[in-house]
Amino acid sequence: MAPTLTRFPCYFQNYVWDSKHKLFGYPEDRFGCFEWMASLERRFGWLRVYFQAPPVVAPMPLVEEMILWGGNRHGILTKFRSGVTDPMLITAVGNVISHLATPADAIADALTLPGFGLTTASMLLRFLDPEHYGILNGAIRSALQEHADMPPVYDGNNPSMERGYVWYIQYLQNLQQQLDAQRILRPECALPLGQSPSGWRIADIEMALFTWANTPAICAAASGTDAAEEASSAE
């Protein structure tokens, strides 16, 4: 079942992410308590400012922490550490920051980092610019391919991953426009509201989709509520 626009506040409020949180002394990221996520957003936001005034140092600890926040699936951190150098990281992050206005270029730059597939590369964009970017992980990708006609994406094929991510960002932007048009407001929480009239950032919409893709019970309950509301209105 495709995501229901009027249920996006519900999806967002039911978002939960808990991977390596306890190892770093953070509670799980959930509505009302986005401590680790909010901390990463603030520090990556500062990184963007810092990179505007070279010379800079490689943000190795911050990027490694982001990988761990994401769960370090498939040993990404080991691959990253074994293949990256300080100059390589400075160049890649600098290129991403300079190309944030162009999703195709930004994701292509992020994919140059060792061990980075589409999920981790999009994670870097999401934390650097949550207003305009979101994470595309396997669950969201599979759900969108089934319910939203997302084109196939082939892991390991950079042109395919880049095209798939550009499609995804355009899809999220379209959802944002619909949320604005219908005045469906993003619930307030520890994460800042976006600049759009509805307050939804692209990263927030991605978080709502994460719930939709990973928690069928919540989505099924939401669908049942919508049906009941429609029946009540018809009466």
Side-chain angles (χ1 to χ4, degrees):
M1 179 180 296
T4 305
L5 199 68
T6 56
R7 302 306 302 181
F8 267 69
C10 174
Y11 299 157
F12 183 71
Q13 289 172 318
N14 281 279
Y15 175 92
V16 178
W17 178 246
D18 182 10
S19 183
K20 306 293 184 183
H21 289 56
K22 294 180 180 63
L23 297 177
F24 287 84
Y26 284 105
E28 61 188 6
D29 280 312
R30 64 165 56 245
F31 188 78
C33 187
F34 291 115
E35 290 191 21
W36 199 0
M37 183 183 288
S39 173
L40 286 169
E41 283 191 11
R42 287 192 299 270
R43 286 179 284 148
F44 272 99
W46 178 84
L47 188 69
R48 288 180 62 179
V49 177
Y50 170 64
F51 260 72
Q52 302 308 311
V56 298
V57 298
M60 198 75 68
L62 183 57
V63 174
E64 290 181 351
E65 183 180 337
M66 179 202 75
I67 293 171
L68 290 168
W69 175 88
N72 189 30
R73 297 189 62 189
H74 310 300
I76 295 169
L77 185 56
T78 299
K79 297 173 186 175
F80 175 71
R81 284 174 171 169
S82 64
V84 77
T85 63
D86 284 0
M88 182 190 301
L89 184 57
I90 290 171
T91 298
V93 172
N95 287 342
V96 170
I97 291 172
S98 67
H99 291 145
L100 283 173
T102 311
D105 292 337
I107 193 65
D109 293 330
L111 285 167
T112 65
L113 287 167
F116 276 37
L118 188 51
T119 298
T120 312
S122 63
M123 194 182 304
L124 179 62
L125 271 59
R126 179 255 182 269
F127 280 112
L128 282 169
D129 189 1
E131 185 71 37
H132 299 105
Y133 289 99
I135 301 168
L136 178 56
N137 71 358
I140 293 176
R141 190 198 312 181
S142 296
L144 291 178
Q145 287 172 343
E146 182 176 356
H147 300 292
D149 296 323
M150 181 179 185
V153 176
Y154 301 102
D155 291 316
N157 183 315
N158 282 21
S160 173
M161 292 189 287
E162 292 159 17
R163 286 193 299 270
Y165 190 68
V166 170
W167 182 96
Y168 175 60
I169 291 300
Q170 292 172 344
Y171 177 78
L172 295 180
Q173 291 170 342
N174 180 263
L175 288 174
Q176 186 183 54
Q177 292 169 2
Q178 294 180 59
L179 290 163
D180 289 344
Q182 297 190 31
R183 299 182 180 180
I184 300 172
L185 304 182
R186 199 211 77 176
E188 294 191 24
C189 63
L191 299 176
L193 290 170
Q195 299 172 4
S196 70
S198 61
W200 289 91
R201 307 176 303 169
I202 293 299
D204 304 325
I205 299 171
E206 169 253 301
M207 291 164 65
L209 286 180
F210 180 86
T211 302
W212 164 74
N214 286 281
T215 319
I218 291 175
C219 300
S223 176
T225 302
D226 287 344
E229 290 174 351
E230 291 174 3
S232 177
S233 298
E235 294 173 359

